[in-house]
Amino acid sequence: MTADLSPIDRAKFVAAKRAVEYVEDGMRVGLGTGSTAAWMVKCLGELVRDEGLKFTGVATSKRTAELAQQVGVPIVTLDEARWLDLTIDGADEYDHNLHLIKGGGGALLQEKIVATASDQMIVIADISKQVEALGAFPLPVEILKFGWQTTKALVEETLVSLDVLGQTTSLRMNRDEPYITDEGNYILDLHLRRIGNPRQLSLVLNQIPGVVENGLFIDICDIVIIGNGDGSVEVRDINSGTVEHEQVDVGETDNLFADIID
């Protein structure tokens, strides 16, 4: 079945397969949201089924929780787990400092809470997500419904004084209605093009009344695993400063993975 994967799907798959090697019996593991994270959840389900891996997952969204349960991964709440050994998640962008933009899938708030409640965060991605400077991907900002237009205006006013190339914002939509997060909030997408100082931007945005959280993950990611279409991966560890190149044995997966392929 893996022979039928497109290069981008193969890249996501090998990054996910390499990442689950970090999961050990007895761990409490945060499970990310998005297309690459879905590969990871399926890989964990295969390990539970075929190798008897025993661990507990904490999902970052309702859809991740549903997928995990479908493939046999036991799920508890973060309150029940209290603290996590590891979180594995995708990213919309990452730079050389392993700073991230996340939230394209709408789960940035729960993703950030889970990631910061972990001893280690591993990001799985393909090479297209690597950028010199964050900002080409719109930055998601989760905001309260109450007074959202005022919050939007305050965000736009604040952007004028910050080191960004663009200042356009838009309310994320789900067809004809505003997109609603799992926590019942709206999302503003900030079209910044380039973010000169991600740390400053994150701090300033979170001081605006009505802003719940933003999609900049600063000093949270420890390792990024970059998948390639040829089945190879690059493992970058920001703490040790190491970069390793490996070949992942993709083998032939079964229909456990069939519904992930777009």
Side-chain angles (χ1 to χ4, degrees), residues 64-75:
T64 294
E66 291 170 355
L67 176 61
Q69 290 165 349
Q70 289 171 12
V71 300
V73 172
I75 294 294

Side-chain angles (χ1 to χ4, degrees), residues 100-112:
L100 320 170
I101 285 182
K102 290 181 51 56
L108 69 96
L109 177 58
Q110 292 187 16
E111 287 175 335
K112 187 174 282 190

Side-chain angles (χ1 to χ4, degrees), residues 89-123:
D89 204 345
D92 299 303
E93 284 186 346
Y94 62 90
D95 65 14
H96 66 282
N97 292 313
L98 302 195
H99 295 162
L100 320 170
I101 285 182
K102 290 181 51 56
L108 69 96
L109 177 58
Q110 292 187 16
E111 287 175 335
K112 187 174 282 190
I113 292 172
V114 169
T116 54
S118 305
D119 288 335
Q120 187 177 50
M121 182 190 190
I122 297 175
V123 163

Side-chain angles (χ1 to χ4, degrees), residues 166-208:
Q167 299 165 9
T168 304
T169 71
S170 59
L171 182 68
R172 186 175 298 185
M173 304 295 290
N174 181 15
R175 297 184 178 88
D176 297 329
E177 299 292 332
Y179 177 88
I180 306 295
T181 70
D182 282 356
E183 295 300 317
N185 300 315
Y186 288 164
I187 287 183
L188 286 181
D189 287 311
L190 313 189
H191 306 273
L192 307 177
R193 295 161 51 200
R194 185 190 64 82
I195 300 171
N197 190 332
R199 190 184 306 277
Q200 178 193 46
L201 177 61
S202 180
L203 290 172
V204 171
L205 285 174
N206 281 4
Q207 292 175 354
I208 297 174

Side-chain angles (χ1 to χ4, degrees), residues 28-99:
R28 293 160 294 181
V29 181
L31 307 176
T33 297
S35 60
T36 309
W39 283 106
M40 174 268 300
V41 174
K42 289 293 187 85
C43 287
L44 286 172
E46 192 172 54
L47 291 176
V48 169
R49 183 193 66 186
D50 297 343
E51 300 184 18
L53 180 66
K54 298 184 184 302
F55 73 100
T56 303
V58 172
T60 56
S61 67
K62 292 177 182 177
R63 59 187 180 275
T64 294
E66 291 170 355
L67 176 61
Q69 290 165 349
Q70 289 171 12
V71 300
V73 172
I75 294 294
V76 299
T77 67
L78 182 58
D79 286 334
E80 290 171 321
R82 299 180 65 88
W83 194 259
L84 307 178
D85 300 286
L86 174 67
T87 287
I88 306 174
D89 204 345
D92 299 303
E93 284 186 346
Y94 62 90
D95 65 14
H96 66 282
N97 292 313
L98 302 195
H99 295 162

Side-chain angles (χ1 to χ4, degrees), residues 14-15 18-19 21-22 98 120 122-124 222-228 232-238 240-248:
V14 295
R18 177 62 180 86
E21 294 179 16
Y22 287 87
L98 302 195
Q120 187 177 50
I122 297 175
V123 163
I124 48 179
D222 298 285
I223 295 172
V224 62
I225 300 177
I226 306 157
N228 297 296
S232 65
V233 297
E234 180 178 301
V235 181
R236 300 182 190 173
D237 188 322
I238 194 70
S240 67
T242 58
V243 178
E244 299 178 358
H245 298 270
E246 305 173 14
Q247 192 71 29
V248 175

